[in-house]
């Protein structure tokens, strides 16, 4: 009883005394903090401790740990038999893996995309038995900085190490085939090739095929801001200069030269370019992401500007398309924010989103050779004020001019047969529009978000087929003007009957 009373008295004194209470609490906080740090340290040690798996049967890696535990492993060594099933499992569940050592396996091939976009992977040790590295095998592993190509490798697939952080590379003598873009957009400043390799060679750190007719890879971090492609080169391969951030100018000693796709993709310092005279196609993704590119001189016989060719060239102000161009591909000039004016020549095919988000574009000239304005071709061209659609145009596609905030003057010529969904949606400055007698169908929502639209005049005696209803904001605020004798038809026709006010174009 005496001890019990003493204990109670002690706790009372601690709780009532500020000094004793502070000391008591501080002591317990310190102990609790130490225990917490200790547990965190133990957890970190356990999670980062290298794991070694010995397996005699391929396809069985999944059985060694739970799915939850696989997600915690950071460093892994595998000894024994593995196959593509094992690698696929790792890709799915070992999401925190930073280092993988396969040197003690018997792998002969790494499948396509086996390690692609593995954001945590920093190091991969490959086995001496390896013969083939598949397409995009390590593509997008942005932290991967260390890989040694084994001495038996014969094939390095397309984009195998695209977008990694490789800083050094030696192509061994065994390599017979290197796919397009295999080492593009890395952190290489030079590439080395074994002296006895019979398929490839280097010239000043740049990778070529053995007779120097194909330029395969210009290292992305190579020193120097200018480069001249040798006269021997007949083909500049896909992604050959991709990510070369220091390059400002590139010249060619030969006018007859072919190009792969994405050759100058993300060359962020390239500011001007003169195409070789023999070039008749700008390949897909050719200048994509060249954010400093201001001016391009195109050859006179150019026929095709392919998909995404100038995508996101935000500084491009001057590009003159020659009359020989007959096709402009999807997204070809999308996001060229500084492009103010474009004269489209005798084009027969204009791709979707071709000039989308060209927010500085204020003047366009649509050729008489075109019959369709494709989906979103000029959407969000915010400075476009006036639009003349020639009689050759039969269809204006979905969202073709959506978001053209400054558009006030639209002239639709006779010949137009269809207006696509949301074709002029969110054209907030548009107040009136005239639809011609040739119109056969219209999507009512083509004027959604046109807050100032107050007048729609339609000259067709037979109401065009209304594919969707007009939004209530249009039918409430807008007056529909139709031929006097056809007003009853419009008042009863599906879609058109939603308009509150229908008036005559001119009394008969």
């Amino acid at each position: 009883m005496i001890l019990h009373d003493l204990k109670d008295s002690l706790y009372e004194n601690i709780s009532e005394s500020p000094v004793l209470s502070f000391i008591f609490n501080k002591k317990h906080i310190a102990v609790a903090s130490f225990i917490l740090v200790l547990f965190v340290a133990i957890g970190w040690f356990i999670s980062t401790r290298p794991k070694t798996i010995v397996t005699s049967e391929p396809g069985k890696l999944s059985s060694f740990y739970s799915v939850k535990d696989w997600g915690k492993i950071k460093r892994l060594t595998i000894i024994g038999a593995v196959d593509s099933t094992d690698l696929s499992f790792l890709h799915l569940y070992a999401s925190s893996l930073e280092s993988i050592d396969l040197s003690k396996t018997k792998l002969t091939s790494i499948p396509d995309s086996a390690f692609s976009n593995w954001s945590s992977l920093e190091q991969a040790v490959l086995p001496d038995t390896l013969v083939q590295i598949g397409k995009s095998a390590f593509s997008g592993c942005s932290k991967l900085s260390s890989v040694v190509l084994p001495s038996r490798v014969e094939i390095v697939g397309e984009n195998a190490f695209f977008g990694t952080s490789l800083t050094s590379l030696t192509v061994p003598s065994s390599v017979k085939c290197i796919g397009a873009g295999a080492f593009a957009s890395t952190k290489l400043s030079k590439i080395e090739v074994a002296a006895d390799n019979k398929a490839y060679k280097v010239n000043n750190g740049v990778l070529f095929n053995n007779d120097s007719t194909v330029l395969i890879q210009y290292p992305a971090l190579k020193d120097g801001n200018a480069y001249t492609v040798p006269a021997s080169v007949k083909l500049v391969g896909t992604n050959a200069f991709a990510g070369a951030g220091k390059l400002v100018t590139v010249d060619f000693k030969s006018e007859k030269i072919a190009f792969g796709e994405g050759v100058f993709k993300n060359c962020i310092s390239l500011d001007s370019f003169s195409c070789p005279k023999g070039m008749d196609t700008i390949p897909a993704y050719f200048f994509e992401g060249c954010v400093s590119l201001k001016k391009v001189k195109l050859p006179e016989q150019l026929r095709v500007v392919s998909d995404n060719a100038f995508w996101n060239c935000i500084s491009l102000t001057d590009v003159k398309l020659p009359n020989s161009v007959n096709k402009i591909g999807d997204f070809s000039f999308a996001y060229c924010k500084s492009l103010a004016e474009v004269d489209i020549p005798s084009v027969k095919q204009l791709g979707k989103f071709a000039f989308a988000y060209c927010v500085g574009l204020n003047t366009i000239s649509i050729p008489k050779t075109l019959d369709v304005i494709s989906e979103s071709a000029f959407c969000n061209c915010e400075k476009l004020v006036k639009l003349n659609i020639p009689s050759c145009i039969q269809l204006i596609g979905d969202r073709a001019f959506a978001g053209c905030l400054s558009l006030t003057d639209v002239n639709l010529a006779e010949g137009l047969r269809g207006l696509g969904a949301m074709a002029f949606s969110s054209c907030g400055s548009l107040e009136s529009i005239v639809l011609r007698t040739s119109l056969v169908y219209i999507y009512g929502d083509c004027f959604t978000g046109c807050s100032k639209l107050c007048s729609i005049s339609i000259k067709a005696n037979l109401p065009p087929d209304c594919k969707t209803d007009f939004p209530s904001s249009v039918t409430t605020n807008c007056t529909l003007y139709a031929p006097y004798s056809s007003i009853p038809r419009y008042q009863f026709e599906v879609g058109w009957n939603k308009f509150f006010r229908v008036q005559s174009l001119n009394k008969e």
Side-chain angles (χ1 to χ4, degrees):
M1 179 65 75
I2 295 173
L3 290 173
H4 184 271
D5 291 341
L6 185 61
K7 184 179 71 171
D8 287 345
S9 174
L10 180 62
Y11 276 106
E12 265 185 354
N13 290 333
I14 289 173
S15 61
E16 289 175 4
S17 169
V19 175
L20 289 174
S21 179
F22 172 77
I23 294 171
F24 182 79
N25 290 336
K26 186 176 180 181
K27 178 181 177 182
H28 282 74
I29 290 171
V31 171
S33 299
F34 174 76
I35 293 172
L36 179 62
V37 170
L38 183 62
F39 273 108
V40 170
I42 293 171
W44 177 85
F45 175 76
I46 292 172
S47 66
T48 57
R49 186 179 60 184
K51 300 291 190 299
T52 299
I53 292 176
V54 180
T55 175
S56 59
E57 186 178 353
K60 299 297 183 180
L61 276 187
S62 59
S63 64
F64 281 82
Y65 299 104
S66 68
V67 169
K68 182 179 178 181
D69 288 338
W70 273 112
K72 297 177 181 178
I73 296 174
K74 294 185 180 295
R75 290 181 288 171
L76 178 65
T77 296
I78 301 174
I79 301 172
V82 292
D83 60 11
S84 58
T85 301
D86 294 317
L87 297 183
S88 295
F89 177 82
L90 289 176
H91 201 177
L92 284 173
Y93 297 107
S95 56
S96 299
L97 202 62
E98 295 175 357
S99 173
I100 184 166
D101 186 346
L102 299 169
S103 62
K104 296 178 182 179
T105 68
K106 300 296 182 182
L107 269 176
T108 58
S109 175
I110 293 179
D112 296 350
S113 304
F115 297 90
S116 64
N117 298 310
W118 206 323
S119 59
S120 61
L121 192 64
E122 298 176 3
Q123 182 183 37
V125 183
L126 305 178
D128 290 339
T129 54
L130 198 65
V131 175
Q132 180 173 345
I133 299 173
K135 295 179 181 179
S136 302
F138 295 92
S139 176
C141 295
S142 57
K143 293 183 179 179
L144 183 64
S145 59
S146 177
V147 170
V148 175
L149 297 183
S151 59
R152 296 183 187 180
V153 168
E154 296 181 0
I155 299 172
V156 181
E158 177 181 331
N159 295 321
F161 295 95
F162 184 96
T164 64
S165 293
L166 290 185
T167 56
S168 62
L169 176 72
T170 298
V171 178
S173 59
S174 57
V175 174
K176 299 176 182 178
C177 178
I178 297 176
F183 309 114
S185 292
T186 60
K187 293 186 178 180
L188 293 170
S189 57
K190 65 177 181 177
I191 297 173
E192 297 181 351
V193 175
D196 54 348
N197 187 294
K198 297 180 180 180
Y200 299 98
K201 65 190 297 185
V202 290
N203 183 352
N204 193 23
V206 180
L207 181 64
F208 295 85
N209 68 338
N210 201 41
D211 62 1
S212 297
T213 57
V214 181
L215 192 158
I216 297 168
Q217 193 65 62
Y218 181 96
L221 293 188
K222 180 175 167 57
D223 287 335
N225 59 13
Y227 184 74
T228 300
V229 177
S232 62
V233 173
K234 301 184 183 301
L235 171 65
V236 177
T238 294
N239 292 324
F241 289 87
K246 298 179 182 181
L247 268 182
V248 177
T249 60
V250 178
D251 295 316
F252 301 89
K253 287 190 174 181
S254 173
E255 295 291 354
K256 293 183 179 181
I257 191 167
F259 294 90
E261 295 183 354
V263 168
F264 297 101
K265 184 176 182 178
N266 295 327
C267 289
I268 59 174
S269 298
L270 192 69
D271 68 356
S272 63
F273 191 85
S274 183
C275 295
K277 292 181 180 179
M279 196 173 180
D280 66 354
T281 298
I282 305 294
Y285 311 99
F286 198 69
F287 294 110
E288 179 180 318
C290 292
V291 294
S292 298
L293 188 66
K294 299 180 180 66
K295 185 175 181 179
V296 174
K297 185 178 180 181
L298 301 176
E300 293 181 1
Q301 70 272 32
L302 186 69
R303 294 184 299 104
V304 177
V305 179
S306 301
D307 298 350
N308 296 75
F310 291 89
W311 189 87
N312 203 34
C313 290
I314 59 175
S315 300
L316 187 66
T317 59
D318 189 0
V319 57
K320 184 177 180 181
L321 297 171
N323 290 330
S324 55
V325 173
N326 56 47
K327 179 182 177 181
I328 296 176
D330 298 345
F331 296 90
S332 49
F333 290 92
Y335 292 93
C336 290
K337 297 180 179 181
S338 300
L339 197 62
E341 181 178 348
V342 61
D343 184 8
I344 303 172
S346 304
V347 171
K348 295 180 180 179
Q349 184 177 345
L350 181 67
K352 61 184 180 182
F353 291 90
F355 291 91
Y357 296 92
C358 291
V359 294
L361 192 63
N362 55 52
T363 304
I364 60 172
S365 176
I366 297 175
K368 295 180 180 180
T369 52
L370 196 65
D371 58 2
V372 174
I373 296 178
S374 298
E375 173 189 346
S376 303
F378 297 95
C379 72
N380 294 89
C381 291
E382 297 177 357
K383 291 187 178 180
L384 187 63
V385 176
K386 186 175 181 179
L387 182 62
N388 285 312
I389 303 296
S391 58
C392 59
I393 300 297
Q394 298 184 37
L395 170 64
I396 295 178
D398 298 350
R399 299 178 298 278
F401 296 96
C404 293
L405 304 178
S406 302
L407 192 61
T408 57
D409 188 356
V410 177
N411 180 23
L412 303 177
E414 195 72 49
L416 182 67
R417 295 177 60 81
L419 268 175
M422 305 180 76
F424 290 95
S425 63
S426 300
C427 291
S429 299
L430 189 64
E431 297 181 3
S432 64
I433 193 164
V434 177
L435 307 177
R436 305 295 176 177
T437 59
S438 57
L439 194 67
V440 174
Y441 70 89
I442 181 174
Y443 282 80
D445 58 4
C446 69
F447 299 114
T448 295
C450 295
S451 56
K452 292 185 178 180
L453 188 65
C454 59
S455 170
I456 297 177
S457 300
I458 183 161
K459 296 188 174 184
N461 288 316
L462 290 175
D465 183 11
C466 198
K467 301 292 186 181
T468 59
D469 281 340
F470 289 90
S472 59
S473 59
V474 172
T475 57
T476 302
N477 302 324
C478 211
T479 300
L480 176 65
Y481 294 92
Y484 177 77
S485 61
S486 299
I487 287 178
R489 291 177 177 172
Y490 281 91
Q491 289 175 326
F492 288 97
E493 187 71 25
V494 173
W496 300 101
N497 59 5
K498 302 291 184 180
F499 281 88
F500 287 12
R501 296 185 300 277
V502 183
Q503 297 184 19
S504 174
L505 277 171
N506 49 4
K507 290 186 178 181
E508 298 179 1

